[in-house]
Amino acid sequence: MSFHSEAQFKLALDDVRKGFWQPGLWLMLGWQDIRQRFRRSMLGPLWLTLSTGFMLVALGLVYGAIFKMPLQEYFPYLAAGVVAWTLISSLISEGCQTFITSDALIKQIRLPFTTHACRVVWRNTIIFLHNLAIIVVVMLVFKIMPSVGSVLLLAVGLLAVMLNGVWVSLALGLICTRFRDVPPIVGSVLQLVFFVTPIIWHPSLLPGRQRVISFNPFYHFIELLRAPMLNTTPAADSWRAVLAITVVGWVVTFVLLLRARRRITYWL
Amino acid sequence: MASIRLRGVHVEIPIYNTSARSLKKQLVRATTGGRIQSDHGITVVRALNGIDLELNDGDRLGLVGSNGAGKTTLLRVLAGVYEPTRGSITVAGSIMPLLDVAMGIDMDSTGMENIMLRGRLLGIDRRQLLELRDQISEFTELGEYIHMPVRTYSSGMVLRLAFGISTCVTPEIVLMDEYFAVGDAHFMRKAERRLIDVVAKAGIIVFASHSGDLIRRLCNKALWVHAGEARALGSTDEVLAQYAASG
């Protein structure tokens, strides 16, 4: 271990590499978070699944009627969208707290910062996997038979979201550790995004305004998860958009790490 | 071979949540603690000010100094937690930080579960921990409590558990903060024996403490840190005498 200011590039690279290649650590920490959060509750993370389920039933009945869409069509769409959004929004909001909540650990032991980011992503992935129970129920009720291809597509989409989740947790975690006003701002933005992104409403309800939708990065991420859950294929445009965001996001995050990684501990 | 080299290590911690300059002035007047300065309107605590240090196998360094002199900060620099804002540090050898009893301890998990949790955080792999588990539980003398949630433990028992996990492997470098030295007399003797064991297997110990007695027993060198600077470095008796004379 050696710290010279010239070595920042190598240190930042090592952080990301070692963070990823020690999955044992973040897998364990992520599970630990789930166990801690739901200790002594009988249903555990399924409590979240249940509450999401109840919210879906309420939203489905009200908005299905407002939009005058048949439940057979609207409800699966809503359920898949909300389950996808729950993962994406919690990755972003908890990403803000990546380092702040791990401050005791960060100040005691040297671990790659990427490990803490992966922990956030893994924890939320576990919750997402529990929430898939909702989708299974919806499929049973509405008699949708998922193809093997859809399951594979969902897995690939999930991996893409997770990979982006890691840079989001690193970048937002870093920024929010330094500027403590950012988490509330992110919170309000997320609320806004929920309403302007096609989650409770269908893109076909916004005729002639397709651009508003295709320029919304959240739409593409949601599509990546939602389409396979509805047994369809995400549009190629969505894949392209997500790929571009992944590359740009990681480059920006790496530059941030290069410039500020060593200061994170000082800001805690 | 374990070694530690520090050259002109500075640690400057920016404090963003104190805007009051009057507070700064008050703090500067205080005799203890690091120097506090203000650059571009941001208050900066100079926790370490150009520390040079060289340690090799067999060195057992005791850190003395008043509260806030920079002992813990120095330990954190050695642990790689704080990267120096200026200067350089080179450490060769595996590091075992015993800075905080509570690190990696989940109060709701059992002692056994915590052995795995804390052990893995300290970089010991899973298979090795599974093998060492019983040995650790024996060392802690917790008996059946090892299968109970840690929240039912007394603080001394948590300490035993934490210490047992941290010293179950032989690290090359042990960094220890003083509150690790607050077990009962029986356990302290046992802990000391184990630490001496660890040092005997060729390693470095850096131990921060207010107790001259403990430092004399455990260390062969001492460093007196004052306001983030190395005031004196030498044999334990010399340095402790100087530190005592300073009042």
Side-chain angles (χ1 to χ4, degrees):
Chain A
M1 177 174 84
S2 173
F3 311 131
H4 302 282
S5 42
E6 317 87 74
Q8 282 308 308
F9 185 82
K10 194 180 169 295
L11 284 169
L13 198 64
D14 271 1
D15 190 291
V16 176
R17 220 184 40 206
K18 285 186 187 154
F20 272 114
W21 293 145
Q22 291 170 351
L25 214 49
W26 49 261
L27 288 172
M28 178 190 73
L29 289 169
W31 266 115
Q32 185 63 24
D33 286 338
I34 298 283
R35 282 176 35 178
Q36 221 157 10
R37 206 182 288 183
F38 299 103
R39 171 130 9 219
R40 296 203 235 170
S41 84
M42 233 155 40
L43 292 176
L46 286 174
W47 274 117
L48 291 182
T49 310
L50 267 184
S51 69
T52 312
F54 280 124
M55 185 181 86
L56 279 171
V57 171
L59 280 180
L61 292 175
V62 174
Y63 285 91
I66 292 175
F67 297 140
K68 297 188 178 61
M69 277 172 79
L71 216 54
Q72 169 76 27
E73 198 181 312
Y74 180 63
F75 199 79
Y77 172 81
L78 177 75
V82 166
V83 166
W85 171 250
T86 305
L87 172 66
I88 291 165
S89 69
S90 60
L91 279 177
I92 293 168
S93 58
E94 289 186 23
C96 289
Q97 309 289 330
T98 308
F99 305 128
I100 298 173
T101 49
S102 302
D103 74 325
L105 202 51
I106 291 172
K107 282 185 179 172
Q108 301 306 330
I109 192 160
R110 183 178 176 82
L111 293 174
F113 287 106
T114 311
T115 303
H116 300 289
C118 290
R119 170 193 193 164
V120 172
V121 173
W122 177 234
R123 171 172 78 214
N124 284 295
T125 305
I126 295 171
I127 294 173
F128 174 78
L129 294 175
H130 279 86
N131 280 345
L132 280 184
I134 296 173
I135 303 302
V136 173
V137 170
V138 169
M139 284 180 156
L140 287 174
V141 170
F142 293 97
K143 300 193 174 57
I144 303 169
M145 186 64 201
S147 66
V148 179
S150 296
V151 175
L152 285 177
L153 272 176
L154 179 63
V156 177
L158 180 59
L159 276 177
V161 171
M162 288 167 78
L163 192 61
N164 280 279
V166 178
W167 76 253
V168 166
S169 299
L170 276 170
L172 274 181
L174 189 149
I175 293 167
C176 295
T177 308
R178 170 65 185 82
F179 302 101
R180 301 291 170 111
D181 301 327
V182 178
I185 298 174
V186 170
S188 348
V189 171
L190 278 176
Q191 221 164 25
L192 189 73
V193 169
F194 176 72
F195 290 108
V196 300
T197 307
I199 299 166
I200 47 178
W201 49 275
H202 198 271
S204 63
L205 289 170
L206 204 65
R209 295 275 176 86
Q210 289 303 315
R211 284 188 142 198
V212 179
I213 293 167
S214 57
F215 277 110
N216 179 349
F218 293 93
Y219 168 72
H220 300 293
F221 279 101
I222 286 176
E223 266 303 290
L224 234 51
L225 297 174
R226 178 170 53 196
M229 286 194 261
L230 299 174
N231 212 8
T232 56
T233 315
D237 271 352
S238 290
W239 280 108
R240 275 195 281 272
V242 167
L243 188 68
I245 293 168
T246 310
V247 172
V248 172
W250 270 104
V251 169
V252 170
T253 301
F254 193 76
V255 172
L256 271 176
L257 281 179
L258 212 53
R259 296 184 61 103
R261 182 194 51 83
R262 61 200 303 219
R263 295 196 213 130
I264 295 173
T265 320
Y266 289 94
W267 292 334
L268 285 169
Chain B
M1 294 296 274
S3 71
I4 296 174
R5 304 254 176 296
L6 265 66
R7 278 193 225 301
V9 165
H10 288 257
V11 166
E12 292 144 323
I13 304 171
I15 306 296
Y16 294 103
N17 47 1
T18 61
S19 52
R21 274 162 188 266
S22 57
L23 178 71
K24 183 201 87 181
K25 281 179 191 154
Q26 276 184 1
L27 287 168
V28 168
R29 258 187 264 126
T31 51
T32 57
R35 304 226 169 119
I36 295 161
Q37 276 188 8
S38 186
D39 299 335
H40 312 294
I42 299 165
T43 307
V44 174
V45 176
R46 298 194 188 285
L48 291 180
N49 254 318
I51 299 269
D52 291 299
L53 186 65
E54 190 169 333
L55 295 172
N56 292 302
D57 272 345
D59 280 343
R60 288 168 284 157
L61 182 75
L63 295 178
V64 291
S66 54
N67 290 323
K71 300 188 298 289
T72 301
T73 308
L74 182 56
L75 286 174
R76 283 183 181 165
V77 168
L78 295 173
V81 167
Y82 281 148
E83 292 181 24
T85 41
R86 272 182 289 158
S88 72
I89 167 174
T90 310
V91 176
S94 57
I95 301 171
M96 183 60 71
L98 282 77
L99 304 185
D100 184 359
V101 179
M103 194 219 56
I105 297 277
D106 173 29
M107 287 295 168
D108 279 317
S109 299
T110 66
M112 252 337 175
E113 287 168 338
N114 271 298
I115 290 178
M116 300 306 290
L117 202 61
R118 185 181 166 97
R120 303 255 321 257
L121 277 173
L122 291 170
I124 310 167
D125 70 52
R126 199 183 135 78
R127 222 166 304 147
Q128 204 178 355
L129 275 171
L130 287 172
E131 279 169 27
L132 290 169
R133 212 156 54 161
D134 296 323
Q135 202 184 315
I136 296 169
S137 109
E138 198 182 314
F139 176 83
T140 59
E141 295 177 16
L142 287 171
E144 282 307 301
Y145 268 99
I146 201 81
H147 300 295
M148 298 278 282
V150 172
R151 72 187 136 78
T152 63
Y153 290 20
S154 70
S155 51
M157 288 160 78
V158 179
L159 174 74
R160 283 170 183 227
L161 181 68
F163 186 87
I165 302 164
S166 298
T167 55
C168 70
V169 288
T170 311
E172 289 160 292
I173 299 166
V174 177
L175 307 170
M176 198 161 81
D177 213 344
E178 60 185 338
Y179 42 94
F180 250 98
V182 289
D184 56 37
H186 164 72
F187 187 73
M188 274 314 296
R189 276 195 298 279
K190 199 168 165 180
E192 261 186 66
R193 272 202 302 279
R194 183 168 267 205
L195 279 176
I196 289 165
D197 246 26
V198 169
V199 175
K201 285 171 189 153
I204 298 173
I205 283 194
V206 182
F207 176 48
S209 177
H210 286 293
S211 155
D213 259 10
L214 259 175
I215 289 196
R216 266 191 208 94
R217 284 209 299 273
L218 279 175
C219 305
N220 55 14
K221 269 186 173 180
L223 173 69
W224 173 15
V225 186
H226 184 79
E229 280 163 22
R231 194 48 88 76
L233 173 67
S235 74
T236 45
D237 286 333
E238 252 172 59
V239 174
L240 285 171
Q242 280 183 43
Y243 178 55
S246 77

